[in-house]
């Protein structure tokens, strides 16, 4: 399981949201990490999930190459940072 500041491993058992057993270990990143993206040529459309003021979920789907390229380049430049 990934987190914004590193990764976690282990296991836990919950019943009705109550932790019964298991152990989760946190492993913080010591330097910025790049996102693990698909190859651009594998992406044929991108859907973006939004909420409006009434908390309704709205999806916008893009399937033109120019918009997909722009979105891909934004995410390609992003890195995670250690908030610790």
């Amino acid at each position: 399981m990934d987190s914004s500041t590193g990764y976690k491993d282990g296991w836990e058992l919950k019943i009705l949201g109550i932790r019964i057993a298991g152990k989760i270990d946190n492993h913080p990143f010591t330097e910025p990490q790049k996102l693990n993206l698909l190859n651009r040529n594998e992406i044929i459309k991108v859907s973006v999930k939004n909420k409006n003021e009434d908390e309704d979920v709205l999806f916008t789907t893009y399937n033109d190459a120019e918009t997909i390229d722009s979105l891909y380049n934004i995410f390609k430049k992003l890195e995670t940072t250690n908030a610790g």
Side-chain angles (χ1 to χ4, degrees):
M1 178 179 348
D2 294 327
S3 77
S4 61
T5 58
Y7 69 95
K8 299 177 182 180
D9 67 8
W11 67 276
E12 74 180 349
L13 172 64
K14 288 184 176 182
I15 298 177
L16 299 174
I18 300 170
R19 186 177 170 278
I20 303 299
K23 182 178 179 192
I24 302 291
D25 294 318
N26 292 310
H27 303 279
F29 291 135
T30 56
E31 56 189 61
Q33 301 291 308
K34 290 281 190 188
L35 298 176
N36 186 14
L37 299 174
L38 293 171
N39 291 327
R40 169 57 189 97
N41 61 358
E42 297 175 4
I43 302 171
I44 58 173
K45 71 178 179 179
V46 175
S47 293
V48 179
K49 179 179 175 182
N50 297 299
K51 286 187 181 180
N52 65 15
E53 297 158 353
D54 299 324
E55 296 294 316
D56 296 326
V57 175
L58 308 170
F59 288 91
T60 305
T61 300
Y62 304 97
N63 54 16
D64 64 285
E66 185 177 335
T67 303
I68 294 172
D69 287 343
S70 295
L71 292 169
Y72 186 86
N73 287 329
I74 290 169
F75 283 96
K76 185 171 76 172
K77 294 175 186 175
L78 294 179
E79 294 181 340
T80 63
T81 57
N82 188 343

